[in-house]
Amino acid sequence: MTPTITLQQQVIEGTQKGPNLLILGGVHGDEFESMAAIRRLLDHLNPAALRGRLTAIPVVNEAAYWRGQRTAEDELDLARTCPGRPDGSITERTAHAVSKEIRRADYLIDLHSGGIVMEFYPTVGYTLHPDRSTLDVQRRMARALNMPIIWGTSAHLDGRTLSVARDANVPAIYAEWMGGGTCDPQGADAYFEGCLNVLAELDMIDRTLPPLRTEYTVEDDRENSGHIQINYPAPFAGYFEPHVTLKAPVQPGDVIGTVVDHLGQRREEVVSTQAGLILCLRVFNRVHQGDSLAAVLELDPSQ
């Protein structure tokens, strides 16, 4: 019999009635800011001051966490495997378990980072949900989380926690904060404060919201917008030398970086096809053919 996945979670029941907010961390095993922020949030919240219920899962993908990698031993991406299945591989069963939790929730926050191989400029995102009322709530939640970038993207990307939420009509946001395989204390702080802001926005706690620090708000409903992994693939296996930094402006034709072989005899430049800002950038230099090297945030996606 296939073992059932039990997600380690903590529930804080408020003394007053209200919604159920689900907060996820560690959907990938190498994303640590979320885990630290959620543990801090659990220590901080007072049930007497909470209206409703907070359900928190700091490390969704335990198999990947203990492996010290983005994925578990089956090497499936949990964020592309939802809703999973109860009799599948370790990642498929984890996807099934977390999908059940999402469907039980009234709202979802899913916290990420760039992990070991990427750095991601602090961003909060959501799907451009076809239901107007759900989309409006997601926009409010995204503003409250208070990241420099707000990014609404295609509602047609499946396999994700947000696609499970989309199908269940659960308003949902996700966030990204740097990465590089460490836990950035600023990121953990920002996630902690941001989650409190969302709780306040949803009228689950009393809290004065801070000034917005949003630098750019972009909504892009083109097909595959938000699918980072298909952007700027490595042309062959080798070593990636970035020529840009995170958040650097780029224009079509600008060189993002160069992939070289071991002896430096084969070199190929990776050139931007877009105008915008470097939203995420590979920081783990070894690359396989097809690995994503960067993503560009187009400030005017219609152009």
Side-chain angles (χ1 to χ4, degrees), residues 119-201:
E119 285 189 346
F120 208 118
Y121 193 70
T123 297
V124 56
Y126 49 87
T127 65
L128 294 170
H129 201 288
D131 180 77
R132 174 60 62 173
S133 61
T134 301
L135 178 57
D136 286 345
V137 174
Q138 292 179 161
R139 287 169 171 155
R140 286 172 43 212
M141 293 170 66
R143 285 194 297 270
L145 199 73
N146 209 14
M147 296 287 111
I149 305 293
I150 297 177
W151 196 25
T153 56
S154 171
H156 305 296
L157 299 176
D158 293 328
R160 304 158 186 250
T161 58
L162 263 62
S163 61
V164 175
R166 173 202 66 201
D167 294 344
N169 239 22
V170 173
I173 60 174
Y174 74 97
E176 303 278 1
W177 185 285
M178 300 304 285
T182 65
C183 181
D184 180 359
Q186 287 187 323
D189 288 347
Y191 278 171
F192 169 73
E193 297 291 340
C195 287
L196 290 176
N197 293 340
V198 175
L199 282 159
E201 179 65 31

Side-chain angles (χ1 to χ4, degrees), residues 64-268:
Y65 175 81
W66 290 118
R67 191 171 178 243
Q69 299 291 328
R70 178 178 176 84
T71 63
E73 55 267 25
D74 58 10
E75 297 189 348
L76 294 177
D77 185 340
L78 178 54
R80 303 293 180 270
T81 309
C82 293
R85 53 182 208 164
D87 59 347
S89 70
I90 181 69
T91 301
E92 290 172 321
R93 284 179 280 133
T94 303
H96 178 75
V98 76
S99 296
K100 287 172 60 177
E101 296 297 332
I102 293 168
R103 296 187 191 104
R104 293 186 184 117
D106 297 307
Y107 304 99
L108 169 66
I109 302 173
D110 186 3
L111 302 174
H112 290 261
S113 79
I116 292 172
V117 302
M118 304 289 282
E119 285 189 346
F120 208 118
Y121 193 70
T123 297
V124 56
Y126 49 87
T127 65
L128 294 170
H129 201 288
D131 180 77
R132 174 60 62 173
S133 61
T134 301
L135 178 57
D136 286 345
V137 174
Q138 292 179 161
R139 287 169 171 155
R140 286 172 43 212
M141 293 170 66
R143 285 194 297 270
L145 199 73
N146 209 14
M147 296 287 111
I149 305 293
I150 297 177
W151 196 25
T153 56
S154 171
H156 305 296
L157 299 176
D158 293 328
R160 304 158 186 250
T161 58
L162 263 62
S163 61
V164 175
R166 173 202 66 201
D167 294 344
N169 239 22
V170 173
I173 60 174
Y174 74 97
E176 303 278 1
W177 185 285
M178 300 304 285
T182 65
C183 181
D184 180 359
Q186 287 187 323
D189 288 347
Y191 278 171
F192 169 73
E193 297 291 340
C195 287
L196 290 176
N197 293 340
V198 175
L199 282 159
E201 179 65 31
L202 298 174
D203 197 34
M204 296 178 69
I205 62 171
D206 294 323
R207 174 180 169 90
T208 301
L209 295 179
L212 283 176
R213 59 175 178 174
T214 304
E215 299 170 7
Y216 301 101
T217 298
V218 175
E219 292 195 337
D220 181 357
D221 63 358
R222 292 175 297 176
E223 184 179 359
N224 285 325
S225 65
H227 193 171
I228 294 296
Q229 286 74 18
I230 64 174
N231 286 270
Y232 299 102
F236 59 90
Y239 182 95
F240 174 57
E241 299 175 346
H243 293 195
V244 295
T245 56
L246 212 57
K247 205 191 168 190
V250 291
Q251 295 292 327
D254 289 349
V255 177
I256 291 174
T258 303
V259 177
V260 301
D261 65 9
H262 289 338
L263 297 177
Q265 294 174 347
R266 182 182 180 188
R267 310 177 67 89
E268 189 165 333

